[in-house]
Amino acid sequence: MEAVRNLQVILKDYVNGFPKESYMLLKTSIIPLKLPQDSNGVLVKNLYLSCDPYLCLLMSKGQVGYLESFTPGSPITGFGVAKVVDSGHSNFKKGDLVWGLTGWEEYTIITTPQTLFKIQDTDVPLSYYTGILGMPGMTAYYGFYEICAPKKGEYVFVSSASGAVGQLVGQFAKLTGCYVVGTAGTNEKVELLKNKFGYDEAFNYKEEQDLDAALKRYFPEGIDIYFENVGGKMLEAVLLNMRVNGRISACGMISQYNLNQEEGVRNLSSIIMKRLHMKGFIVSDHFNLLPKYMEMVIPLIKEGKICYIEDIVEGLESAPAALVGLFSGKNVGKQVVLVARE
């Protein structure tokens, strides 16, 4: 039976505080390219891996919602794009291209193939299935359209607006006919928001001494929809500037991840006084809407009505630095790791 080297990114120990590369290590094992005869799993060769902030939550000890923490000594797992090498499952055959949950390694045996989705459309970049056509795309779609129910002419604010999800929310909002403002952490990203993604305005939050004043400058009439990726001080300021019956889609709170003690949030009484609707969500609960989303977004990509920026690093050995870099804003666009070309 043929066997190959399998380079893996292993969680060395639980993270305490913010993640560092030293919490991860590279390890090489040997893996056979054939599944056991009685297996109903799928063996895949990983092509692209998705770097997402939530992964760092799972590197800490304990349970995050319904997600179990990673186990030290085992490979990190996350969303990725892969090619089926061998299959014991009737839904998949050798050569199929798939996306879904996989290991941070060159080859992975996936024992729960129901977490995989077959890739039907291959005349778009395969890496898009870690982003616009994968979990981040579905996140933007569900959080914006299903939770916020946008209407033409409404005022939309997006935090972490140049990231994997934010860049899409802004473009969806513009396609709906909304006025959209985004925030990012560098002037380069601010220009990207305005010149590439079509945001009406954008600002560098690191250059603002008073976030409340900044929001009043860009939204003198208030905010109808806030797509929340940050939490903390930004959320406090947004609550003061929401309009009556405004909607907040709570997608992520990256400012709070890996803090030993999460910060409290002030101005919560605005939720009552302004009759706000604020809802959190986990996108994997809503993958049943994937066909509906694909039907909408693939034509937009092919017609050039929506664009997607990726920051691709090559080699599995680059993955730890790429993941940690999310928390200092090193990436420009969706952070992807190219593991192997087909």
Side-chain angles (χ1 to χ4, degrees):
M1 185 182 297
E2 185 185 357
V4 293
R5 184 196 79 149
N6 189 28
L7 184 64
Q8 302 172 302
V9 178
I10 303 291
L11 178 64
K12 187 177 177 181
D13 200 0
Y14 287 122
V15 170
N16 184 21
F18 279 90
K20 299 175 184 175
E21 290 179 56
S22 58
Y23 284 105
M24 294 167 270
L25 59 86
L26 294 170
K27 177 184 173 184
T28 300
S29 63
I30 301 296
I31 186 169
L33 291 182
K34 195 78 177 167
L35 291 167
Q37 280 193 342
D38 59 348
S39 172
N40 65 350
V42 176
L43 171 64
V44 300
K45 177 181 180 180
N46 293 310
L47 306 177
Y48 294 93
L49 296 176
S50 176
C51 288
D52 299 297
Y54 84 89
L55 294 175
C56 291
L57 285 173
L58 303 182
M59 294 167 72
S60 301
K61 192 172 185 178
Q63 191 167 356
V64 182
Y66 69 93
L67 298 171
E68 294 287 346
S69 294
F70 298 139
T71 303
S74 298
I76 290 170
T77 58
F79 286 93
V81 174
K83 189 171 187 176
V84 175
V85 175
D86 191 24
S87 175
H89 195 282
S90 58
N91 289 351
F92 301 96
K93 66 181 186 301
K94 183 177 180 179
D96 282 347
L97 291 167
V98 296
W99 74 269
L101 287 173
T102 189
W104 275 35
E105 52 191 347
E106 292 176 297
Y107 294 87
T108 300
I109 296 174
I110 297 171
T111 57
T112 54
Q114 60 267 30
T115 63
L116 295 177
F117 300 90
K118 271 190 192 178
I119 292 176
Q120 308 291 352
D121 206 309
T122 56
D123 57 353
V124 294
L126 279 180
S127 57
Y128 275 16
Y129 288 91
T130 68
I132 186 171
L133 298 179
M135 181 272 288
M138 269 298 299
T139 300
Y141 171 77
Y142 182 83
F144 185 62
Y145 287 110
E146 299 293 328
I147 291 180
C148 295
K151 304 179 190 69
K152 184 178 179 180
E154 290 192 309
Y155 300 99
V156 177
F157 179 51
V158 185
S159 58
S160 193
S162 67
V165 175
Q167 60 174 290
L168 292 173
V169 174
Q171 292 179 85
F172 291 162
K174 289 305 299 175
L175 288 169
T176 308
C178 299
Y179 171 82
V180 193
V181 177
T183 184
T186 70
N187 292 331
E188 176 193 7
K189 292 178 181 179
V190 166
E191 290 306 308
L192 191 68
L193 292 176
K194 293 190 288 186
N195 299 328
K196 189 74 174 176
F197 301 136
Y199 276 72
D200 294 288
E201 291 289 349
F203 65 92
N204 183 345
Y205 69 90
K206 293 179 181 176
E207 294 183 350
E208 299 292 342
Q209 299 297 316
D210 186 336
L211 291 173
D212 178 36
L215 291 176
K216 284 181 167 58
R217 189 165 73 244
Y218 289 102
F219 294 101
E221 296 182 41
I223 300 166
D224 291 298
I225 292 172
Y226 174 44
F227 200 94
E228 165 69 300
N229 288 309
V230 173
K233 302 298 181 187
M234 185 67 75
L235 177 57
E236 287 186 351
V238 167
L239 287 169
L240 292 175
N241 288 276
M242 292 296 294
R243 301 179 81 182
V244 171
N245 294 319
R247 289 87 73 203
I248 299 174
S249 180
C251 167
M253 296 194 178
I254 195 170
S255 72
Q256 305 303 296
Y257 296 168
N258 299 103
L259 293 181
N260 290 327
Q261 180 68 48
E262 287 194 14
E263 298 169 341
V265 176
R266 297 174 299 177
N267 307 326
L268 290 175
S269 61
S270 295
I271 294 175
I272 302 166
M273 302 304 178
K274 298 180 180 182
R275 283 82 89 194
L276 303 180
H277 175 74
M278 182 174 181
K279 183 177 179 180
F281 67 101
I282 300 294
V283 69
S284 56
D285 293 341
H286 309 287
F287 278 151
N288 61 300
L289 296 176
L290 184 62
K292 181 181 175 183
Y293 170 61
M294 290 295 194
E295 188 178 327
M296 180 197 87
V297 78
I298 286 180
L300 292 175
I301 295 171
K302 293 181 176 179
E303 293 165 16
K305 293 181 179 177
I306 199 165
C307 67
Y308 199 64
I309 299 294
E310 299 174 301
D311 190 334
I312 300 180
V313 299
E314 292 203 26
L316 197 56
E317 65 277 2
S318 303
L323 179 59
V324 171
L326 294 176
F327 290 85
S328 57
K330 286 185 179 179
N331 59 303
V332 178
K334 168 63 188 168
Q335 186 68 72
V336 182
V337 178
L338 168 61
V339 180
R341 292 179 170 84
E342 266 196 271

